[in-house]
Amino acid sequence: MDDTAKYLIHADITADGVVERSDVVGAIFGQTEGLLGDDLDLRDLQQSSKVGRIDVSVDSENGQSFGHVTIASSLDKVETAILAAALETIQRVGPCRASVSVASIEDVRAAKRREVVDRAKELLSSSFDDSVMTSDEILEEVRRSVRVEDITEYEGLPAGPNVVDSDAVIVVEGRADVLTLLRYGVKNGVAVEGTNVPDSVAELTQERTTTVFLDADRGGDLIRKELEQVADVDYVAVAPSGKSVEDLSRDEVMTALRNKRPFESFVEGETAAATDGSVFPAPERDPSGSDTDSSVDGEDVATDADGTVATDGASASGPAESESTASPAGSGASASTSPADAETPAVASTATEDEPSTGTDEDASDEADDDTASDGESEGDSAPETLRGHVDAVVGGERGTARLLDAAFSVVDEVPAEEAFDAVESAAETPHAVVVDGTVGQRLLDVAAQRGVDHVVAREEGEFVKKPTSVRVLTADGL
């Protein structure tokens, strides 16, 4: 049936003999041709899509044929009635006498309206009963959407629900700090409830990757010192000066966790007095001499779907990342000294002595120190002291190898580029950076994230299904 049809003409046909469908269709066209004039000629109406196809079904029995004809019409009501009446003028079908009787003219729109009404009744009776909510139900639904995860206990101490099962925990000072973490979706916090660290917390830190998140005050400093003696802590995060953890906004909490520092850097003699009188370690300085943030720019704290914040080496910030962040960014000191260090230290020394210096006395002193350190070494034996220097040596030199570097950018291991995966996986000490003269793929990137590698620099990047946020991937051209 034509989708644009407004009416359906239903007619019954009887023939004195055996006829077929093609005989009936031929009779309809042949015996109505010219009967109603050019405007209502059946062939022209079909060509202009005002009349649809003619559907015919015929059965023969006892030497007679009986059939049913259906014609779809998009003409108006009067024209459709005239066309239906014209069918009854048919007297022969093929060689047989026949008669046609119009049974009905069906309004297609009326049938559709009946279907709409019936379906609307069904929807009305079945779809609205369960959706009507009372005022109390509406209030409860809204409250449930903003309800904070209930605080639990771990060995009698306030804790988040994931402390028992998580492989990483965050140690905070008090119950209010745990509630603050829960409010922002961090569910693996546990409170020490004072400066006397409980034995249960000390034992917990031995089994888990642990970050302590403390207030920037005297109390936080005392807790840190006791944890240093009785616990095994991996990282330290500190609230902004003058604020407590319980008073922080979500952005401030996530920023503090992202900027966590390795616990080993909090040692005696490397402290700086805070404005409120507390004592906390001063920020580490990168090789260029400028203070840098320990986080990777643009990366957030990694939080699992169940609210567990990653605190191990696979998090957004890692040990000694202040150094590695400065080198790829191309700081002034690194950019100026790397080529000389990596290529011709002997020539650089000669140039420094013979040519006039346009830099400051301090720059000249630094260059002299570099020349002294490289004195006696041949050009092939000199080792780059920066990440850029290693990239120039490995990728720029087309060595076809991969270098594993520690935090001081010393060479831990050098293997063929195709063996980079095995080297990172089996390295006794987690490399700080990996430089590959080739393409870094998903497999190498995954093992780097698992081992806690901070930087991977390659000739080019491959295609990644999932790119871990804990590993900074760079190309030699983009370094």
Side-chain angles (χ1 to χ4, degrees):
M1 181 181 66
D2 192 346
D3 292 337
T4 62
K6 295 185 289 185
Y7 302 100
L8 287 178
I9 302 173
H10 298 283
D12 296 323
I13 186 169
T14 303
D16 295 333
V18 178
V19 296
E20 297 181 350
R21 177 184 178 279
S22 57
D23 297 327
V24 176
V25 174
I28 293 174
F29 280 109
Q31 296 181 43
T32 59
E33 184 175 4
L35 179 64
L36 304 177
D38 295 338
D39 293 339
L40 292 178
D41 183 74
L42 190 56
R43 294 185 186 276
D44 293 340
L45 292 174
Q46 270 200 329
Q47 291 177 358
S48 61
S49 299
K50 293 181 179 180
V51 172
R53 66 188 302 271
I54 301 174
D55 292 325
V56 178
S57 59
V58 178
D59 293 322
S60 298
E61 184 179 349
N62 298 326
Q64 286 188 312
S65 298
F66 306 93
H68 184 78
V69 179
T70 302
I71 302 176
S73 169
S74 60
L75 301 171
D76 60 25
K77 187 180 300 184
V78 175
E79 292 173 329
T80 300
I82 294 173
L83 183 61
L87 296 177
E88 295 188 344
T89 64
I90 297 174
Q91 296 178 346
R92 298 186 69 85
V93 173
C96 307
R97 293 182 56 82
S99 63
V100 177
S101 174
V102 176
S104 65
I105 299 178
E106 179 186 0
D107 190 335
V108 176
R109 294 167 299 179
K112 291 182 178 179
R113 281 193 291 268
R114 285 195 300 271
E115 292 179 1
V116 170
V117 171
D118 292 341
R119 181 56 179 162
K121 290 178 181 179
E122 182 182 348
L123 293 173
L124 185 62
S125 62
S126 63
S127 300
F128 292 96
D129 291 344
D130 298 333
S131 62
V132 178
M133 300 177 65
T134 65
S135 298
D136 292 338
E137 290 173 336
I138 294 174
L139 292 174
E140 179 60 25
E141 183 72 18
V142 175
R143 288 194 188 101
R144 185 162 46 250
S145 66
V146 298
R147 184 176 296 152
V148 176
E149 185 85 23
D150 291 336
I151 192 170
T152 60
E153 288 189 355
Y154 175 78
E155 300 291 339
L157 299 171
N162 290 356
V163 168
V164 176
D165 301 324
S166 174
D167 58 355
V169 295
I170 300 177
V171 178
V172 293
E173 296 184 25
R175 178 185 181 88
D177 299 339
V178 176
L179 288 172
T180 297
L181 294 181
L182 286 174
R183 188 180 307 119
Y184 303 138
V186 181
K187 303 177 184 179
N188 58 332
V190 59
V192 296
E193 292 283 76
T195 56
N196 186 17
V197 178
D199 293 339
S200 58
V201 173
E203 294 174 359
L204 183 66
T205 62
Q206 306 296 327
E207 305 170 357
R208 317 289 176 85
T209 302
T210 305
T211 296
V212 293
F213 190 9
L214 306 172
D215 297 340
D217 56 14
R218 182 63 177 170
D221 192 34
L222 293 175
I223 293 174
R224 178 189 61 79
K225 289 182 178 180
E226 181 167 352
L227 285 169
E228 183 178 358
Q229 299 176 9
V230 302
D232 181 11
V233 179
D234 299 286
Y235 300 99
V236 177
V238 183
S241 179
K243 289 188 176 183
S244 300
V245 174
E246 61 187 278
D247 300 326
L248 301 182
S249 65
R250 185 185 188 282
D251 290 341
E252 289 173 325
V253 167
M254 295 305 170
T255 299
L257 291 175
R258 183 174 63 244
N259 295 340
K260 63 184 180 294
R261 302 283 300 282
F263 192 77
E264 292 77 7
S265 67
F266 287 74
V267 294
E268 296 296 333
E270 293 184 11
T271 58
T275 56
D276 58 356
S278 64
V279 179
F280 272 82
E284 294 181 352
R285 301 181 67 86
D286 67 354
S288 66
S290 61
D291 292 335
T292 59
D293 192 0
S294 62
S295 65
V296 178
D297 294 340
E299 296 181 359
D300 294 329
V301 175
T303 305
D304 296 339
D306 60 356
T308 300
V309 172
T311 58
D312 56 6
S315 62
S317 61
E321 192 167 21
S322 58
E323 296 179 3
S324 61
T325 305
S327 297
S331 62
S334 299
S336 61
T337 60
S338 296
D341 293 340
E343 296 176 3
T344 56
V347 177
S349 175
T350 304
T352 304
E353 295 175 359
D354 297 340
E355 296 178 6
S357 173
T358 59
T360 62
D361 293 338
E362 183 178 355
D363 294 336
S365 176
D366 292 341
E367 292 176 1
D369 292 341
D370 292 341
D371 296 338
T372 302
S374 61
D375 187 28
E377 295 179 349
S378 65
E379 181 177 351
D381 296 334
S382 62
E385 298 179 356
T386 64
L387 180 59
R388 184 185 297 274
H390 286 287
V391 173
D392 290 341
V394 174
V395 180
E398 298 183 355
R399 300 167 64 96
T401 60
R403 266 185 198 177
L404 279 59
L405 310 176
D406 60 15
F409 299 116
S410 298
V411 178
V412 176
D413 193 7
E414 182 166 347
V415 298
E418 59 270 15
E419 298 178 10
F421 174 87
D422 296 332
V424 174
E425 185 180 38
S426 60
E429 178 183 354
T430 299
H432 177 70
V434 177
V435 180
V436 183
D437 182 17
T439 302
V440 56
Q442 185 69 57
R443 190 163 175 260
L444 178 58
L445 191 57
D446 288 342
V447 74
Q450 292 172 4
R451 292 301 309 274
V453 177
D454 291 322
H455 292 75
V456 175
V457 185
R459 181 180 298 278
E460 60 184 1
E461 291 187 17
E463 295 184 358
F464 304 117
V465 177
K466 181 179 181 182
K467 195 171 185 179
T469 59
S470 59
V471 183
R472 193 170 192 178
V473 183
L474 300 168
T475 61
D477 293 338
L479 183 60

